[in-house]
Amino acid sequence: MSRLLEIANRKKVMVIISGISVTIHAVLSLVPYLMVYYIIQELSKPSINYQQAETYLLYAVYAAIISMIFYFLSGILSHIAAFDILAELRKFIAKKVGLLPMGYLSNKNSGALQKLLAEDVERIEHFIAHQIPDFIKGIALPLITISLLFAADWRLAAISFVPFALLLLLIPQMYSGKRNEQIKNYHQSLENMNAGIVEYIRAIPVMKVFGQSAETFEKFGVAVYRFQTFVNQWVKTSSPIYAVFMSFINNATLPVLALGLLLYFQGGLSLPTLFIFLLLGTGYIKPMLVLSNMSMQISLINRGVSQIDDLLAIAPLKESKTWQEPSNHGISFIDVSFAYTENNPVLRQVNFDVKPNSITAIVGPSGAGKSTIAQLLSRFWDCSMGNIYIGGIDIRSYPTEQLMQMVSYVFQDSFMFQQSLYDNIAMGMDKTQEEVEDAAKAAQIHDFIVSLPDGYQTLFGQSGIHLSGGEQQRFQLARAILKDAPILILDEATAFADPENEAKIQEAFSRLIQNKTVLIIAHRLSTITDVDQILVFDRGALSAQGTHTALLLQSKLYQRMWNAHTRAKEFIL
Ligand code: ADP
């Protein structure tokens, strides 16, 4: 609770006023009952003062109206506070994410992050908007009611506790360790089933291609069946105790009624008091039950909050503020080692130089660490040991903004924003329309864009057009051409091109790489035979480096890769 108020920060006052309002609402909501007491008292007098009774009635109506206004006020304040906190928290997390090592946002984490920004934050909203007021009401209302009842008649007040005491005996049964285990299992099998559904839907195209039917998708079927059996079993074991529980709640007035009538007929109790006990005697039980249900919610919220806190605790990359003057745009890796996770080195003592305005290809079996090299150069991560230099200056000494201006990264998967095609190339860069169109021409995508009815203003995405993989790649190249950064990293960018696109993409490439320091992560060796230098990586270490002809003589691994590549080509031809 205190951590949530801390998150609430500037909205704390609002949350507190909302709590006070709901307490006033709870107090006032009891006034009509009190008035019923006085009215009945009045009506049971030998000479009835109707005007007095009417005044009580009016008081009851006023109290009900004011109580409603306070409830309304509390709701409005708690909702405004909650949605403000929600927006601030999301902005805060988004800002924090922007400062995190970019590699953190790899696929592995994006799902978790999405859950954090959507679900976990949402739960906090629900808690502040609804549960804090419910919580305060759940404590205030029973306390006031119980004090009133004891003041009216201690004997009846005491007996009204009997059902509550029995419920307290039942609650440990319902919330036993076994039940907690069952709740955990319930969520687990629900998650399994949901994961099964997602996988099933994703797999439909593949299943169709291979002529499979839904019945063969066993994993999904098993998950659904498991969930069904689990829920059936759970309902069977928990419903008897739940039925007892509910009947206690619904018939909680019975002991009060029995003792109340006895006392009344013995003459030890007035009719208005009996009445008020029948109305209020067990009314505090339900709000208290709300509290017990809340415990589960609170554990979920706790989990969300601690995940948010974990995210906020990740150290951002160290940031330099001073812009540097590199002597050129050559690259050096000196004794670079790196591990994504402890004791699992991915790069070991890597040393190499890339001359300014030269082309270097990185090759090696899958998992050798090629993409990691590229990611370290753009500071998606910082290397664990060693140094990476651009123009003789350690990349950690550049402000991120300067580094980002120096390096263009053409990803394997291109990302398109749901914006106009123009904005998808311009990407907020400070460029003229002519420059954007020139870049599109160089990337061989201009003719395609102007052939569309809305031209550059055509929207991409759900409400606009869809583009083939090859077309999207050319948009990415247009962005890189427009950005015109002196260092260029290409990550297997041509791997998915079809032949017609490939010619265009090659043309776009040759435009892009003019007078640049280029690092290509290559799979198809035939495209890199002319590059200035090839680095051969093997299990995280640089195993050989040189030109294509030199490596064919020196490196066994390169020979093997080259042979495999040429054989594959013959096979395709
Ligand atoms: P390559 O590009 O040569 O195929 P990578 O650089 O992608 O190789 O990966 C090198 C090793 O690092 C692989 O074992 C891979 O599983 C691991 N790896 C890559 N990215 C991550 C990541 N984000 N977290 C943990 N391990 C990773």
Side-chain angles (χ1 to χ4, degrees):
M1 194 77 148
S2 66
R3 176 74 188 102
L4 279 176
L5 280 180
E6 204 178 303
I7 288 176
N9 195 15
R10 283 188 293 129
K11 304 294 177 299
K12 211 192 272 187
V13 178
M14 254 191 211
V15 175
I16 292 172
I17 299 180
S18 157
I20 296 174
S21 305
V22 82
T23 314
I24 300 176
H25 151 78
V27 174
L28 289 177
S29 69
L30 291 174
V31 173
Y33 294 103
L34 209 61
M35 292 305 121
V36 168
Y37 174 82
Y38 287 128
I39 291 172
I40 297 177
Q41 206 174 37
E42 194 57 49
L43 295 182
S44 45
K45 281 181 186 163
S47 63
I48 299 169
N49 180 347
Y50 286 101
Q51 212 170 358
Q52 187 61 42
E54 225 176 273
T55 316
Y56 290 139
L57 183 63
L58 268 183
Y59 285 162
V61 173
Y62 292 151
I65 292 174
I66 301 173
S67 158
M68 217 168 67
I69 292 173
F70 272 100
Y71 190 60
F72 189 62
L73 185 72
S74 154
I76 286 193
L77 286 177
S78 65
H79 275 82
I80 294 178
F83 281 107
D84 278 3
I85 292 166
L86 191 72
E88 249 168 56
L89 205 57
R90 281 195 172 130
K91 277 192 269 183
F92 189 61
I93 295 174
K95 205 164 147 198
K96 170 77 193 187
V97 168
L99 297 174
L100 287 180
M102 273 182 274
Y104 180 82
L105 304 174
S106 62
N107 283 343
K108 191 166 75 95
N109 289 312
S110 63
L113 205 60
Q114 191 184 346
K115 183 175 165 293
L116 194 76
L117 273 167
E119 272 177 47
D120 293 343
V121 175
E122 201 78 35
R123 229 177 251 140
I124 291 177
E125 181 275 318
H126 193 254
F127 184 77
I128 294 169
H130 300 270
Q131 282 161 336
I132 292 187
D134 280 353
F135 180 74
I136 295 173
K137 195 172 158 183
I139 290 179
L141 200 62
L143 278 183
I144 305 165
T145 318
I146 291 166
S147 334
L148 273 179
L149 293 180
F150 267 98
D153 190 297
W154 71 268
R155 295 160 302 182
L156 276 184
I159 197 113
S160 76
F161 271 106
V162 171
F164 184 62
L166 289 174
L167 283 180
L168 285 185
L169 287 179
L170 272 181
I171 283 178
Q173 297 285 322
M174 291 185 65
Y175 290 90
S176 61
K178 198 170 152 220
R179 187 183 135 98
N180 282 340
E181 185 71 13
Q182 276 175 327
I183 292 178
K184 225 171 80 192
N185 287 344
Y186 171 80
H187 284 288
Q188 187 64 50
S189 45
L190 189 64
E191 267 171 33
N192 285 349
M193 189 175 70
N194 288 346
I197 292 174
V198 172
E199 196 180 329
Y200 169 65
I201 291 173
R202 284 204 185 134
I204 285 175
V206 182
M207 282 158 51
K208 284 203 166 154
V209 169
F210 288 96
Q212 308 274 313
S213 66
E215 283 82 44
T216 55
F217 206 71
E218 204 183 323
K219 204 167 157 191
F220 176 51
V222 168
V224 172
Y225 178 70
R226 278 214 187 117
F227 184 70
Q228 184 203 12
T229 358
F230 176 77
V231 176
N232 277 348
Q233 187 59 29
W234 193 16
V235 168
K236 265 187 221 151
T237 53
S238 62
S239 37
I241 196 157
Y242 188 72
V244 175
F245 191 80
M246 285 318 287
S247 58
F248 270 144
I249 292 178
N250 292 331
N251 300 300
T253 29
L254 283 181
V256 175
L257 181 67
L259 182 69
L261 285 177
L262 188 72
L263 290 175
Y264 176 70
F265 287 123
Q266 281 177 354
L269 190 74
S270 70
L271 187 64
T273 313
L274 175 61
F275 229 89
I276 204 76
F277 267 95
L278 292 181
L279 279 178
L280 276 184
T282 50
Y284 60 89
I285 292 183
K286 277 190 184 156
M288 277 185 130
L289 284 179
V290 172
L291 292 186
S292 81
N293 284 341
M294 217 176 262
S295 68
M296 200 164 95
Q297 289 291 332
I298 288 180
S299 73
L300 284 176
I301 291 166
N302 264 342
R303 221 172 61 187
V305 170
S306 66
Q307 266 160 3
I308 292 173
D309 284 344
D310 287 350
L311 177 79
L312 298 183
I314 298 174
L317 288 181
K318 283 208 185 72
E319 171 85 26
S320 161
K321 295 262 178 295
T322 354
W323 282 59
Q324 309 286 336
E325 278 294 325
S327 48
N328 56 49
H329 291 107
I331 301 164
S332 297
F333 273 58
I334 310 283
D335 280 337
V336 171
S337 297
F338 178 73
Y340 288 100
T341 48
E342 245 174 280
N343 303 327
N344 205 356
V346 169
L347 292 179
R348 268 170 265 129
Q349 302 244 314
V350 173
N351 285 287
F352 66 85
D353 286 322
V354 176
K355 290 203 178 70
N357 298 349
S358 70
I359 302 177
T360 294
I362 303 181
V363 301
S366 165
K370 306 181 291 291
S371 307
T372 306
I373 293 273
Q375 293 188 4
L376 289 181
L377 183 59
S378 3
R379 269 196 101 192
F380 279 27
W381 313 93
D382 271 341
C383 51
S384 334
M385 276 194 292
N387 302 77
I388 302 171
Y389 298 96
I390 291 179
I393 296 171
D394 191 303
I395 57 169
R396 285 169 287 204
S397 305
Y398 291 106
T400 309
E401 198 185 338
Q402 187 184 8
L403 186 66
M404 290 305 122
Q405 278 182 14
M406 287 194 294
V407 182
S408 263
Y409 197 141
V410 180
F411 292 92
Q412 201 169 341
D413 306 317
S414 38
F415 185 84
M416 296 287 289
F417 293 88
Q418 308 229 347
Q419 292 175 335
S420 70
L421 296 181
Y422 183 91
D423 290 337
N424 260 298
I425 299 175
M427 297 282 288
M429 286 183 269
D430 189 16
K431 303 283 180 182
T432 63
Q433 179 161 357
E434 202 183 342
E435 286 171 316
V436 172
E437 288 188 14
D438 280 349
K441 279 178 195 157
Q444 309 292 316
I445 195 78
H446 173 79
D447 291 344
F448 166 74
I449 298 175
V450 290
S451 73
L452 299 167
D454 292 329
Y456 276 90
Q457 293 315 314
T458 310
L459 275 182
F460 173 82
Q462 279 168 356
S463 49
I465 56 154
H466 293 274
L467 299 174
S468 73
E471 284 155 356
Q472 292 192 24
Q473 261 169 3
R474 278 184 276 149
F475 269 89
Q476 235 202 122
L477 291 174
R479 283 174 192 162
I481 292 171
L482 185 66
K483 184 173 168 189
D484 199 26
I487 297 173
L488 195 65
I489 305 168
L490 304 169
D491 192 350
E492 304 190 55
T494 57
F496 296 110
D498 51 68
E500 186 246 354
N501 263 317
E502 178 159 1
K504 287 185 175 165
I505 285 178
Q506 288 300 349
E507 228 174 297
F509 261 147
S510 46
R511 242 317 288 277
L512 178 60
I513 61 180
Q514 278 164 23
N515 302 322
K516 300 236 163 26
T517 307
V518 183
L519 219 60
I520 305 177
I521 298 169
H523 257 208
R524 293 180 305 163
L525 303 190
S526 55
T527 56
I528 53 153
T529 48
D530 294 333
V531 299
D532 302 301
Q533 153 176 253
I534 298 171
L535 306 173
V536 185
F537 274 88
D538 189 16
R539 281 163 287 167
L542 180 60
S543 89
Q545 74 187 97
T547 59
H548 172 68
T549 24
L551 284 175
L552 275 184
L553 295 172
Q554 292 161 10
S555 164
K556 286 223 159 58
L557 176 60
Y558 190 76
Q559 279 168 13
R560 272 209 309 276
M561 285 167 60
W562 178 252
N563 289 340
H565 178 69
T566 39
R567 264 206 310 277
K569 264 181 84 173
E570 274 166 24
F571 177 66
I572 291 166
L573 289 173

